[in-house]
Amino acid sequence: MRFSIISLWMFIDPFYHLIRRLKYIGFIQNKKAIFRVKLTKYKGKTFLLADGTEIKKNDCLLKIHLHNVRVLKEVMSISHPVQRTRMIYKMVEQSMPLLAKFIESHQRKEEIKGIIGITMLNKGVKKLGFELMYPENRYYIHFKRLTQTPIFLISHSTLSMKKIKNQRPTYLVMSKEKLFEKYLGA
């Protein structure tokens, strides 16, 4: 069943990539990095990151998207959930310096305040340098839960309905300065 869903998703993914106007950030070991990105204007409430960076409405952020179908394809054969989580963590960690270089060389580098992503898979993200923020709009939360539940279900071998209901979409946010400091040594 999982293989069939992933195969279908692999077929649909290029269209999704095109429609969303996502860009790959580069290659690691002859494979495309795990992130696809696009510039976005932040539309939520003002918040302050730990390093003092204030993110306000209409600030320019680089929105990061995991290449989910590729992640699932690579971890599908791993049965132990801890090993699967470690593999995903490692793929993200390896892509972070490439993400920093992508922003550093971007023509709108000065405008970009940081990076933002939304996920229901958020274990270990603080060690990567992300801060967590939770969306407040209940319609947006339900929409994101609906759209992200398939990846969540496929990525876990055993789940209860209670665990799925308790999962909440989470914003992962990092300032550009923190990204550069942590992954470029700047």
Side-chain angles (χ1 to χ4, degrees):
M1 177 72 166
R2 278 186 191 184
F3 182 75
S4 299
I5 293 170
I6 291 173
S7 296
L8 176 64
W9 198 344
M10 286 175 62
F11 177 75
I12 295 169
D13 189 66
F15 300 106
Y16 172 79
H17 177 86
L18 186 67
I19 290 167
R20 295 293 309 231
R21 297 185 319 251
L22 300 174
K23 293 182 180 168
Y24 284 102
I25 60 171
F27 289 84
I28 300 170
Q29 300 166 355
N30 297 325
K31 288 184 181 178
K32 288 180 179 173
I34 208 68
F35 293 122
R36 300 183 291 184
V37 300
K38 74 176 188 176
L39 288 179
T40 190
K41 286 188 177 188
Y42 178 68
K43 296 297 180 191
K45 291 183 178 180
T46 299
F47 64 94
L48 186 66
L49 295 173
D51 68 358
T53 302
E54 186 177 53
I55 307 292
K56 301 180 299 257
K57 189 174 185 175
N58 293 322
D59 278 346
C60 182
L61 298 174
L62 189 70
K63 187 168 186 181
I64 57 175
H65 294 256
L66 274 182
H67 191 175
N68 291 325
V69 70
R70 185 178 140 215
V71 170
L72 292 174
K73 189 175 158 189
E74 291 192 27
V75 300
M76 189 169 67
S77 63
I78 301 170
S79 60
H80 197 277
V82 173
Q83 290 175 329
R84 193 178 305 133
T85 301
R86 283 186 187 148
M87 176 117 174
I88 294 169
Y89 180 91
K90 185 177 178 182
M91 291 184 331
V92 170
E93 185 178 42
Q94 288 174 339
S95 292
M96 293 300 286
L98 205 53
L99 183 62
K101 288 176 188 171
F102 179 87
I103 293 175
E104 185 181 48
S105 64
H106 198 282
Q107 64 187 18
R108 293 178 62 188
K109 167 187 164 179
E110 299 306 319
E111 291 175 60
I112 299 170
K113 278 198 144 175
I115 58 176
I116 190 166
I118 189 158
T119 186
M120 285 175 48
L121 305 171
N122 59 18
K123 285 190 177 175
V125 296
K126 288 183 179 181
K127 288 189 337 188
L128 291 167
F130 287 102
E131 294 182 41
L132 304 179
M133 197 180 86
Y134 300 98
E136 293 180 8
N137 183 305
R138 69 179 194 190
Y139 298 111
Y140 184 72
I141 292 168
H142 289 306
F143 172 72
K144 282 300 180 182
R145 186 177 281 143
L146 178 70
T147 60
Q148 293 191 357
T149 295
I151 180 90
F152 187 74
L153 290 171
I154 294 170
S155 65
H156 289 77
S157 50
T158 58
L159 283 176
S160 67
M161 283 308 289
K162 184 178 178 182
K163 186 168 185 171
I164 293 169
K165 284 182 181 180
N166 289 337
Q167 285 304 113
R168 185 173 180 192
T170 307
Y171 284 120
L172 306 180
V173 188
M174 188 185 310
S175 72
K176 174 177 64 179
E177 288 74 21
K178 184 171 185 177
L179 178 71
F180 287 178
E181 180 184 307
K182 188 164 177 70
Y183 295 101
L184 292 180

